[in-house]
Amino acid sequence: MDAPVLDVMNIPTVSSYNNAEEVESYQHIVDELSLKIEELEQRMIEVEQFNPTTSKKQLKSSKGSSNGKDKDKEKHIPGLKKQQQEASKREAAAAKRMHDLMRQFGTILSQITRHKWAWPFMQPVDVEGLGLHDYYEVIDKPMDFSTIKNQMEAKDGTGYKNVRQICADVRLVFKNAMKYNEERSNVHVMAKTLLKKFEEKWLQFLPKVIEEEKRREEEGAEAQMNIQLVYEAAHSKMARDISNELHELDTHLEELREMVVQKCRRISVEEKRKLGAALTRLSPEDLGKALDIVAQNNPAFQATAEEVDLDIDAQSESTLWRLKFFVRDALEVQGKSSCSASMGGNNNNKDNPTNNDNTNNNNGNNTINNSNKRKREISNAIAKVVKKKSKRLAS
């Protein structure tokens, strides 16, 4: 049963494939295509990482928080720099409007601080001078109007960023006084009265604050959307470019396959018969791989169907040669596995003359088949490149 299979695998491969330089040239082309596929795979990874959903992070990076690597990538994204510049302009305009609001809020603050009862709250509490030894145990965050004024006038970036921060500290001034002093004390009553007056003025001013906050939110959402659209467009272009290159690579592979097939002689009827018989001897796993080879050149072929009708005569020369090489390699592996299992403990008998004869015979076969081996390596390499490319396209 083994002889016919081995015979069909040992039949010479080509008629005009004897030029070593020509063989090397084909191997060189295959190597170049393999490198191209590796490059495309790396770019596919970059496309996957270059996800438009990261636009929120990129929007933050437009404000100066991106690292050097991100900035290098951003340089190659058309339109991104313009959107970042527009976002920066909107941010600067929003900051100016907020500064104007804080200046307007200063008018309310002046009215409160000019009240006749505001004097206890103008400077930090003199804890030591007044002997208030438990003050810091009761009050977590002391606050007074001089501290608020300094924060409003700060130029080093440590000051208030919006009106609500100032409002919170004004409330804290009065609430600290009401918390530490008894309800019937003068300071408590003064703080409660001024807090009520402040809340009335704050309610009148609040619509302006809400309007500005809503505007900033809308502008931020618009800026984020614009940057996201830029990233989506760049992502789409990268994917489209890779798809075009894969199509071009597919064309080159097909051309190379045809070039190799033209160098090969046609498979004889007898070889087809023996190849069909050899296919039945494959393991289920290898048989599935062989059917996949057929399906690659024949999309209508159902390789995964429960019953498969494989017409050897209907297959192209390229498919037949690929099947031939695959079946030969698969059966060689199966044969070695079976041989190792049957020999058992006899493998260590180095003095067995039969082993020496087998070694000599193998050396002879290696010499005879060396040329065929190189040709098979080229075809297998082509098949590997095609299969690898197909998987990338499918994903």
Side-chain angles (χ1 to χ4, degrees):
M1 292 293 294
D2 292 345
V5 175
L6 295 178
D7 287 345
V8 73
M9 296 304 132
N10 284 325
I11 293 176
T13 307
V14 294
S15 58
S16 58
Y17 220 17
N18 299 319
N19 190 328
E21 294 182 0
E22 192 172 17
V23 173
E24 291 295 334
S25 68
Y26 283 127
Q27 185 65 56
H28 179 67
I29 295 174
V30 171
D31 291 341
E32 287 185 342
L33 291 175
S34 297
L35 290 175
K36 183 63 176 178
I37 285 180
E38 291 179 2
E39 176 187 340
L40 290 175
E41 285 180 337
Q42 181 59 39
R43 288 172 60 187
M44 284 293 291
I45 294 174
E46 292 179 0
V47 169
E48 292 170 358
Q49 295 175 344
F50 194 67
N51 196 311
T53 58
T54 60
S55 58
K56 290 184 178 180
K57 295 181 180 179
Q58 301 299 340
L59 181 59
K60 293 180 180 179
S61 72
S62 67
K63 300 177 183 179
S65 61
S66 59
N67 56 38
K69 187 175 181 180
D70 290 336
K71 288 182 178 179
D72 290 338
K73 290 182 179 180
E74 291 171 3
K75 290 180 181 179
H76 304 288
I77 303 177
L80 179 60
K81 185 177 181 180
K82 180 181 178 181
Q83 292 298 330
Q84 290 176 334
Q85 290 174 344
E86 291 181 358
S88 297
K89 290 179 180 178
R90 282 193 292 265
E91 185 68 22
K96 184 177 183 300
R97 292 196 306 270
M98 183 56 68
H99 179 75
D100 292 340
L101 273 180
M102 289 191 289
R103 181 177 53 79
Q104 296 174 37
F105 182 83
T107 302
I108 297 175
L109 199 58
S110 296
Q111 293 173 1
I112 298 297
T113 56
R114 286 201 299 266
H115 193 278
K116 61 181 180 179
W117 286 355
W119 63 267
F121 316 109
M122 298 302 297
Q123 299 295 329
V125 176
D126 186 5
V127 176
E128 294 184 3
L130 297 174
L132 308 177
H133 304 297
D134 62 342
Y135 186 81
Y136 294 115
E137 296 177 3
V138 178
I139 303 302
D140 297 328
K141 182 182 177 182
M143 185 57 58
D144 63 277
F145 285 117
S146 66
T147 300
I148 292 176
K149 182 181 178 181
N150 291 336
Q151 283 283 91
M152 291 179 66
E153 297 175 352
K155 304 295 184 181
D156 57 357
T158 60
Y160 296 114
K161 300 298 186 296
N162 57 68
V163 178
R164 288 189 183 273
Q165 292 179 345
I166 309 175
C167 177
D169 278 353
V170 173
R171 286 172 175 157
L172 185 61
V173 171
F174 299 130
K175 288 184 178 181
N176 282 348
M178 293 167 63
K179 182 179 180 180
Y180 187 78
N181 296 278
E182 295 181 359
E183 187 174 355
R184 294 183 179 182
S185 66
N186 291 336
V187 174
H188 185 104
V189 172
M190 295 164 70
K192 186 175 182 179
T193 302
L194 290 179
L195 178 59
K196 182 179 179 180
K197 290 182 176 296
F198 171 74
E199 294 294 355
E200 292 173 353
K201 295 181 179 298
W202 170 251
L203 285 176
Q204 296 174 0
F205 188 72
L206 186 58
K208 292 183 179 181
V209 178
I210 294 176
E211 181 183 358
E212 174 58 25
E213 290 174 342
K214 183 178 179 180
R215 181 176 177 180
R216 295 192 73 171
E217 183 179 353
E218 291 175 350
E219 290 181 350
E222 181 183 358
Q224 178 181 319
M225 177 59 68
N226 291 339
I227 290 180
Q228 181 173 343
L229 290 175
V230 169
Y231 271 89
E232 287 178 350
H235 182 271
S236 177
K237 184 179 184 303
M238 290 172 65
R240 187 168 57 252
D241 290 344
I242 291 177
S243 178
N244 292 337
E245 291 188 46
L246 284 172
H247 178 72
E248 183 180 351
L249 185 61
D250 181 47
T251 302
H252 290 330
L253 286 169
E254 193 62 33
E255 292 174 353
L256 178 60
R257 181 188 300 169
E258 291 304 318
M259 290 170 61
V260 173
V261 170
Q262 289 175 9
K263 293 292 182 179
C264 297
R265 60 169 178 76
R266 298 183 64 83
I267 296 223
S268 66
V269 175
E270 179 65 14
E271 286 178 279
K272 292 179 182 179
R273 185 187 66 80
K274 292 181 178 180
L275 179 58
L279 285 169
T280 63
R281 302 184 67 255
L282 293 176
S283 67
E285 181 180 358
D286 287 335
L287 181 58
K289 294 178 180 178
L291 295 178
D292 286 339
I293 292 175
V294 177
Q296 287 179 10
N297 286 342
N298 186 3
F301 181 74
Q302 300 294 328
T304 58
E306 293 184 3
E307 293 186 3
V308 177
D309 184 12
L310 177 59
D311 185 358
I312 291 291
D313 293 329
Q315 304 308 312
S316 66
E317 289 296 314
S318 174
T319 299
L320 291 173
W321 281 112
R322 291 175 63 193
L323 282 174
K324 175 182 183 295
F325 293 135
F326 174 78
V327 170
R328 175 172 181 164
D329 292 343
L331 291 179
E332 283 180 354
V333 173
Q334 290 181 197
K336 290 178 181 178
S337 300
S338 300
C339 183
S340 299
S342 62
M343 289 179 65
N346 294 330
N347 289 337
N348 295 328
N349 188 1
K350 297 181 180 179
D351 297 331
N352 191 329
T354 303
N355 291 340
N356 293 332
D357 292 340
N358 289 338
T359 301
N360 293 331
N361 290 336
N362 288 337
N363 289 336
N365 289 335
N366 288 338
T367 302
I368 295 172
N369 296 327
N370 185 51
S371 177
N372 286 342
K373 183 178 180 181
R374 289 186 61 81
K375 299 160 190 171
R376 185 173 70 254
E377 288 175 349
I378 293 176
S379 184
N380 284 342
I382 295 173
K384 183 178 180 181
V385 171
V386 173
K387 186 174 182 181
K388 197 173 186 181
K389 181 271 305 178
S390 299
K391 287 184 177 180
R392 295 307 302 177
L393 280 175
S395 63

